[in-house]
Amino acid sequence: MDEIFKQQIYEITRLIPKGRVSSYGAIAKAVGYPNHSRHVGKAMGGCPEDVPAHRVISSSGVLSVPEFQIKLEAEGITVENLRIKDFKKLFWNPLEEI
């Protein structure tokens, strides 16, 4: 995977505010690679510690990594059955909010 692509993903992800979430697809689209959400997910697997990977979830509002529930709840996000409650309200779209 291209290192520049990964760094762009990490920079966008660092901008997601606490208490908000985004999706793999939204991040991919924001860096100019729509339909590359799986690549975003793969890059998140090895991201630096300062990248809040727990704030990036599937477009359906379901956690891909169950262990992230604790971190999200610590930020005030309610998770029920691995699904973000009020997902649409909490969704952070980088194309609209940067």
Side-chain angles (χ1 to χ4, degrees):
M1 184 178 304
D2 182 66
E3 192 62 33
I4 293 172
F5 176 72
K6 288 197 301 190
Q7 292 306 317
Q8 290 173 329
I9 291 167
Y10 300 155
E11 288 302 315
I12 295 286
T13 303
R14 286 183 183 108
L15 298 174
I16 303 171
K18 285 184 180 180
R20 302 283 301 277
V21 292
S22 195
S23 68
Y24 299 105
I27 301 295
K29 193 179 284 187
V31 298
Y33 291 91
N35 304 317
H36 283 73
S37 57
R38 288 179 189 250
H39 295 298
V40 173
K42 186 173 182 179
M44 287 299 181
C47 69
E49 282 190 31
D50 68 324
V51 176
H54 62 283
R55 296 182 192 146
V56 183
I57 60 174
S58 73
S59 61
S60 62
V62 175
L63 298 185
S64 302
V65 182
E67 293 80 12
F68 287 166
Q69 181 170 342
I70 294 167
K71 289 183 176 185
L72 291 169
E73 288 175 340
E75 294 182 5
I77 296 174
T78 303
V79 181
E80 296 175 350
N81 296 321
L82 298 180
R83 185 176 295 276
I84 302 292
K85 188 173 182 183
D86 297 323
F87 172 66
K88 289 183 180 181
K89 180 180 168 188
L90 298 174
F91 183 72
W92 184 81
N93 185 342
L95 291 176
E96 295 175 3
E97 302 200 42
I98 293 180

